[in-house]
Each structure stands twice: as structure tokens, then as C-alpha cells.
Amino acid sequence: MDAYLRLAGQEDMDLLFLWANDPSVRKNSFSEDEIPYEEHRQWYQTLLTDQKRRQYLYICNGIPMGQVRISLSEEDAEISYSIGKEYRGMGHAKKMLQLLQEQVQEDYPHLKRLSAKVKADNTPSQRAFLHLGYQKIYEVYTMPCGCKVI
């Protein structure tokens, strides 16, 4: 399998828009609402020039199959990723995240930690991170306002 990451460019905006609005991606995102194109376009233009974020495309056998983004802080980076629906369940998430670790070590050797927030019912992502040695640190519990406390 010939796989690598490349920095996303202007030409990738529409593909990333399609992937971002895939129903499964929306379900596993912390903001589940569909993204309007104009909102995505503005966000993407900002992303391309933001020195604190890097957007990569995962290319396997010459085909874009997924995307991964890091948001940098002082010594940490938070990961967000998705795999195109036709390529899920084939181990691409693990490979892409492994390539990301290598890319981060090369480009940002000062970073001390990579992390990701994953929804409780997103077991494929949980498995991918755990497989690569990530540790589950905590869980978050919420309750809508107005509920009776027993």
C-alpha cells in the first residue's frame, strides 16, 4: 500500500466539503448540523493561512481517501480526521494516524502530546486511537438543562 499525507490546498476545498457533510461524519462530529457551502468556504480560506492548524489529505495508491487536521497549541496538538465513506473499515484510519504521528515528529519535534476528542458511540475511532497506543483519559457527562435531578 503506497500511502502518504500531503498538505491540503485550495483545490481540495470541494472534496473536503463533501466529506465534512457526509451523514456519518456529521453524526460523529461534535457539531452535527450540516455545513453550508459558504460557511465551509470561509472557514477553509482561514484554515489555509492559519499557522496554528495544518490540514492534510491522506492519499493511498494515488487516491484521496481521508483527511486529518491538527490544531496546535504550545506543546500539544489536537487531531480531527475522517475517512471517505467508500474507504471505511479497511484500516485506513490507523494508517493515516500513524503517518500523522511521523509527520508531526518531523515538522513539530517540540510537541509533547497528540490528543483527540472522540464521541462515546464512535467505536471505530476509539479502536483506531487505542490500536496506536493512545490512552483514554476521561469521559464527559452532560444533562440538558431543565431535567429533574433525583
Side-chain angles (χ1 to χ4, degrees), residues 76-80 113-117 129 134:
D76 302 329
E78 186 173 319
I79 300 168
S80 176
R113 183 175 28 256
L114 290 172
S115 62
K117 295 176 184 167
F129 283 111
Y134 287 75

Side-chain angles (χ1 to χ4, degrees), residues 113-144:
R113 183 175 28 256
L114 290 172
S115 62
K117 295 176 184 167
V118 180
K119 283 184 159 182
D121 60 349
N122 187 352
T123 53
S125 283
Q126 292 171 17
R127 282 194 306 266
F129 283 111
L130 291 171
H131 175 81
L132 292 171
Y134 287 75
Q135 297 175 358
K136 183 177 180 178
I137 302 300
Y138 61 85
E139 294 184 37
V140 175
Y141 298 88
T142 65
M143 183 173 77

Side-chain angles (χ1 to χ4, degrees), residues 28-82:
N28 287 309
S29 296
F30 287 93
S31 174
E32 294 185 16
D33 296 337
E34 188 172 318
I35 303 166
Y37 186 78
E38 184 57 27
E39 184 179 315
H40 172 76
R41 189 190 66 72
Q42 290 175 2
W43 171 85
Y44 195 70
Q45 297 310 314
T46 302
L47 171 72
L48 290 178
T49 59
D50 189 341
Q51 296 301 308
K52 297 271 187 196
R53 295 184 290 168
R54 289 290 176 272
Q55 177 72 59
Y56 300 95
L57 260 68
Y58 168 71
I59 312 294
C60 184
N61 299 325
I63 302 168
M65 294 188 179
Q67 64 81 29
V68 62
R69 181 175 54 256
I70 56 170
S71 298
L72 302 159
S73 61
E74 298 297 319
E75 296 180 337
D76 302 329
E78 186 173 319
I79 300 168
S80 176
Y81 83 92
S82 65

Side-chain angles (χ1 to χ4, degrees), residues 4-9 11-12 15 55-59 64 103:
Y4 62 93
L5 296 180
R6 74 160 169 80
L7 278 174
E11 68 278 8
D12 302 309
L15 176 60
Q55 177 72 59
Y56 300 95
L57 260 68
Y58 168 71
I59 312 294
Q103 189 74 47

